[in-house]
Amino acid sequence: MSLWTSLEPASATVDPGGSTRVRLRLRNTGDIVDEYRFEPVGTVAPWTTVEPSTLRLYPGTTGTVELTFAPPRSPDATAGPHPYAVRITPTEHPEATTVPEGNLTITPFTEVRADLVPPIVKGRLRGRPRLAIDNLGNTKVTASVSGSDNGDQLSYDIHPSNVQIEPGRAVFVAATLKPRDIIWFGAAEQRPYTLSLHRSGTDPLPVEGTYDQRGFLPRWLATALGLALTLAIVFVMLWIAYKPAVKSKATEQLADAGNVIAPSPPASAPPPAPEPSKEEPEPSEKEEKPGGGGDGGGGGGDKAKKPPPKVTAATAVRQLAKEDPSGRHICYRAFVGGKGWQEPVCDGAVAGTVGEKLPIKALNFAVSGVGGSAANAFVNDPESDKGKYQEWTAVITDNKDNYIGSSKNDAANLSGFAINVGDGQICQSSHVRGRSWGDSCGNDRSDPEGHKQFVFAGTLDNGAWLEAIKLTVKKK
């Protein structure tokens, strides 16, 4: 071998969102002038730059290049040690490749986000919100969830009360709220409450919501029943107070019976003559004339043609539900920048584009046989070094449209999204710009309410965007 190399230092540490440098020294121990090309390899290669990328050395001379590691502050940069290497290829002898190896340790950081879905729940005896917890850090998070409110007006049943979340993943925690006092009559009352996320060594993360407690009977019905009862009591009292006296005259009529001559019976009237039958003839059938014309002249022309109805994901999934009523289906379509809304596709077909560098800005979902869907979008944010989540959208019935993202001209690009169905396991395959297809499925386990764990598609990298997706719902 005609090359000597040394990494200084061989092991380095870097914070996500920061950078660190390692010096690579090499000496040409051969007898000819050679030029060397440098290529980083390993799991940290996407975040590694080599300067200069090529170096020319005379025999017996030494040169230096710098490796710069800059992992992003995202779950993709998993905390812990990461081996790396640099492939050095001599131009004169490309078969004599050298690969010096080192170790890069990425420090952990924690970032947790929690949202209530929906933030306001309504009910008479109970409410069932769900808490979506996203682990945006690069290390596993262990936490517990508890509920509280002012005045101790509600009781809380939370499943699961303890969760473990991998980096870049999220879980749903189902909560059942039960009021301690029932409202029988009257208007609804709003009862604010808080679900708190507790992690060791940190302050609790509170998420506030509202339980809109409804009465069993509306106020107008209580008023009507009270008024009806009052009127009934008044009527009974008036009847008792002013009951009329009934006097029989049977005795007087018996006394005068002998002096009264019974009248002769009237002559019987002849029976009425039968009326003639009034049966009407059946209405004659009229022929339809094309163009809705009359009996002559230039009859009416063709009616104005209506534009065809807009085909959405719900339109497509309803057709599938008719053909397969007992199946589980998902249909979806993408709003592609520079092209607009595409036609909907279903059950694993590709929506979006591949290789055209066109971002998806909005998505439209609809499901059948699984009890609705919930989803939220993670979009690019040019004003910061990381993207941001949008609000969750939930459709709790089948065959209805669910939208995330935005189709406005200046809408942000969609980096990724999370989706869940009411009853079933959903799987995704997503294509991010500059990367290959990535596949994953939601957790097959469900919480006590029967909700399956959601799946995340795409990336949390603020500099990348989603180009194409494929979605399926597993069969029973």
Side-chain angles (χ1 to χ4, degrees):
M1 180 176 294
S2 62
L3 183 66
W4 170 87
T5 62
S6 174
L7 285 170
E8 301 175 355
S11 297
T13 302
V14 64
D15 296 328
S19 64
T20 189
R21 294 182 178 181
V22 172
R23 179 179 298 174
L24 172 61
R25 298 180 59 208
L26 62 162
R27 180 185 298 117
N28 183 356
T29 58
D31 54 2
I32 61 173
V33 179
D34 209 341
E35 185 177 58
Y36 303 94
R37 297 191 306 272
F38 305 95
E39 180 186 3
V41 294
T43 57
V44 298
W47 316 318
T48 307
T49 57
V50 183
E51 294 180 353
S53 58
T54 61
L55 186 64
R56 186 179 181 86
L57 293 177
Y58 287 91
T61 60
T62 301
T64 302
V65 297
E66 285 192 347
L67 309 178
T68 303
F69 302 98
R73 187 177 174 85
S74 74
D76 295 334
T78 308
H82 294 264
Y84 71 90
V86 181
R87 181 183 295 116
I88 305 174
T89 305
T91 302
E92 298 298 329
H93 299 283
E95 72 282 356
T97 300
T98 303
V99 186
E101 298 179 352
N103 186 72
L104 179 68
T105 300
I106 300 177
T107 60
F109 77 95
T110 303
E111 185 175 347
V112 178
R113 175 177 174 174
D115 297 289
L116 275 171
V117 185
I120 300 177
V121 291
K122 302 176 181 179
R124 292 178 173 83
L125 293 178
R126 59 182 57 85
R128 292 190 175 95
R130 290 192 293 166
L131 184 65
I133 307 173
D134 298 89
N135 182 4
L136 306 180
N138 66 348
T139 185
K140 182 187 295 185
V141 168
T142 301
S144 61
V145 181
S146 65
S148 62
D149 61 275
N150 292 330
D152 196 25
Q153 298 173 334
L154 303 173
S155 64
Y156 303 87
D157 187 10
I158 298 174
H159 293 284
S161 59
N162 295 283
V163 293
Q164 284 190 343
I165 314 171
E166 296 293 335
R169 298 292 182 178
V171 297
F172 278 98
V173 174
T176 301
L177 314 178
K178 295 181 181 180
R180 300 189 186 278
D181 297 321
I182 298 175
I183 301 176
W184 294 103
F185 299 99
E189 295 184 9
Q190 291 189 341
R191 306 194 185 280
Y193 68 94
T194 302
L195 294 183
S196 298
L197 189 68
H198 302 271
R199 292 179 294 126
S200 178
T202 62
D203 294 332
L205 175 62
V207 183
E208 297 181 350
T210 302
Y211 174 52
D212 194 353
Q213 185 179 356
R214 303 297 182 86
F216 262 90
L217 298 176
R219 179 174 294 177
W220 67 265
L221 181 58
T223 303
L225 291 176
L227 182 59
L229 180 60
T230 302
L231 291 176
I233 294 174
V234 171
F235 177 78
V236 172
M237 293 178 66
L238 291 176
W239 174 263
I240 294 174
Y242 298 99
K243 183 177 180 181
V246 180
K247 186 178 181 181
S248 176
K249 295 185 178 181
T251 304
E252 297 177 3
Q253 292 178 355
L254 284 174
D256 296 337
N259 300 325
V260 179
I261 300 175
S264 60
S268 60
E275 296 182 0
S277 173
K278 295 184 180 179
E279 295 181 0
E280 296 183 359
E282 295 277 332
S284 61
E285 296 182 356
K286 297 181 180 180
E287 296 181 358
E288 287 186 319
K289 297 183 178 181
D295 292 334
D302 294 339
K303 295 183 179 179
K305 295 182 179 180
K306 296 182 179 180
K310 182 173 68 174
V311 178
T312 67
T315 309
V317 87
R318 291 191 193 105
Q319 183 62 33
L320 283 178
K322 289 182 181 179
E323 299 171 359
D324 184 16
S326 61
R328 297 182 172 195
H329 303 284
I330 180 168
C331 294
Y332 42 95
R333 60 183 181 136
F335 185 89
V336 179
K339 289 191 175 184
W341 283 110
Q342 296 180 326
E343 293 296 320
V345 297
C346 303
D347 295 339
V350 177
T353 61
V354 177
E356 299 183 27
K357 300 182 180 180
L358 297 178
I360 294 177
K361 293 180 176 288
L363 290 170
N364 168 212
F365 312 99
V367 296
S368 67
V370 295
S373 65
N376 77 331
F378 186 82
V379 299
N380 294 152
D381 185 3
E383 297 181 358
S384 70
D385 58 352
K386 59 183 179 180
K388 61 182 178 181
Y389 276 99
Q390 295 181 337
E391 297 295 329
W392 282 85
T393 63
V395 176
I396 60 175
T397 58
D398 286 334
N399 305 327
K400 297 292 185 180
D401 283 312
N402 192 356
Y403 290 88
I404 61 172
S406 174
S407 59
K408 294 181 179 179
N409 293 333
D410 57 349
N413 297 336
L414 209 65
S415 296
F417 64 94
I419 184 171
N420 180 29
V421 293
D423 179 20
Q425 185 182 6
I426 190 166
C427 296
Q428 66 84 24
S429 182
S430 55
H431 191 283
V432 177
R433 178 179 176 269
R435 305 179 188 179
S436 59
W437 287 93
D439 306 320
S440 63
C441 292
N443 199 320
D444 194 27
R445 296 172 298 170
S446 62
D447 57 31
E449 299 295 331
H451 304 294
K452 297 292 182 182
Q453 305 295 335
F454 77 91
V455 66
F456 182 84
T459 180
L460 295 175
D461 185 356
N462 192 37
W465 60 71
L466 197 61
E467 287 187 338
I469 63 165
K470 294 184 285 186
L471 297 175
T472 57
V473 178
K474 287 195 173 182
K475 305 298 182 182
K476 292 183 178 179

